[in-house]
Amino acid sequence: MTKKILIIETNTPKYDETDRATGLWLGETTHFYEEIISAGYEVDFASPQGGYVPIDPESFKYANAIDWKWYTNRNFREVALSNTKKITDLNAEDYRAIYFTGGHGVLWDYPEDKALMKVAEEIYDAGGFITSVCHGAAGLLNLKDEVGEYLIKDKIVTGFTNEEEELNGTTVAVPFLTETELNQRGARYKKDSAFKAFVVRDGRIITGQNPQSPQKVAELLVAELRKLNQ
């Protein structure tokens, strides 16, 4: 059986302490997906609870042709946004890579989800890739290696910066700052200018800084898979 690429999305619809809506940042799925399927890979969509994935309404303000191409595709909406697979129903052996999308919602449902951590660790331990973009790096925070150390310790990674959070006006609304937490786990955190596409790779870990980066994450993942003839 041909192994697929697993796209993880949030189920969280609002900030915990306010009535402000959040959810998936749409482009962090659509731009990655466009690149991956254009390269000939199959994809599954999953979320911690399965089913419905809320979209951050702010992301529609920045939607471009790729976003509208997929958002107006009925089949895409069904599998990627309305009826995602539940993490506990997945078999890690089916996947060659996992991709953690962002949107502020992930800060509440990624880091402590043990089933999600288990799937990601099993994919990585079997030689697969772990990838993320923006706040999706929250999915990497508590992953452990085979000796119980944080997987990202001493690894070069990136994710949404503290400066970007401040410019976004959400510093006090989030449960933690992604950049700060990555550094606290011992990662070798790298960043570029605010809201400029930026991607880094350290072995089989590929991370993008912000909503401008999902296509580049996908391009780098495809390049690495092809080097391995996968």
Side-chain angles (χ1 to χ4, degrees), residues 1-6 41-44 85 93-98:
M1 182 183 69
T2 301
K3 289 191 175 184
K4 305 175 186 179
I5 293 171
L6 178 61
Y41 295 98
E42 295 183 36
V43 166
D44 277 343
K85 296 177 181 294
E93 294 179 357
D94 294 339
Y95 304 102
R96 68 184 80 207
I98 184 171

Side-chain angles (χ1 to χ4, degrees), residues 38-81:
S38 295
Y41 295 98
E42 295 183 36
V43 166
D44 277 343
F45 295 91
S47 59
Q49 299 173 26
Y52 174 68
V53 170
I55 299 174
D56 190 322
E58 288 290 313
S59 66
F60 285 111
K61 295 180 181 180
Y62 304 93
N64 64 14
I66 291 175
D67 300 312
W68 290 117
K69 169 186 173 180
W70 292 112
Y71 187 69
T72 57
N73 182 299
R74 184 173 182 176
N75 183 65
F76 175 84
R77 292 199 309 272
E78 173 64 24
V79 298
L81 302 173

Side-chain angles (χ1 to χ4, degrees), residues 29 36 43 76 83 89 125 135:
T29 285
I36 292 298
V43 166
F76 175 84
N83 193 30
D89 293 335
D125 290 345
H135 292 94

Side-chain angles (χ1 to χ4, degrees), residues 103-124:
H104 284 88
V106 308
L107 300 180
W108 283 272
D109 56 7
Y110 281 5
E112 304 299 331
D113 191 299
K114 295 188 183 304
L116 180 54
M117 287 187 274
K118 182 174 183 291
V119 168
E121 289 167 353
E122 288 179 353
I123 290 171
Y124 188 79

Side-chain angles (χ1 to χ4, degrees), residues 200-212:
V200 296
R201 180 182 70 85
D202 193 323
R204 289 180 286 111
I205 299 175
I206 300 171
T207 50
Q209 179 176 314
N210 47 37
Q212 289 71 33

Side-chain angles (χ1 to χ4, degrees), residues 177-216:
L177 297 173
T178 304
E179 176 183 343
T180 298
E181 291 298 314
L182 290 169
N183 280 317
Q184 288 182 352
R185 299 301 193 279
R188 296 164 60 194
Y189 180 83
K190 304 293 183 182
K191 59 185 174 181
D192 204 332
S193 303
F195 302 111
K196 176 183 178 182
F198 180 66
V199 175
V200 296
R201 180 182 70 85
D202 193 323
R204 289 180 286 111
I205 299 175
I206 300 171
T207 50
Q209 179 176 314
N210 47 37
Q212 289 71 33
S213 305
Q215 180 179 344
K216 290 187 177 298

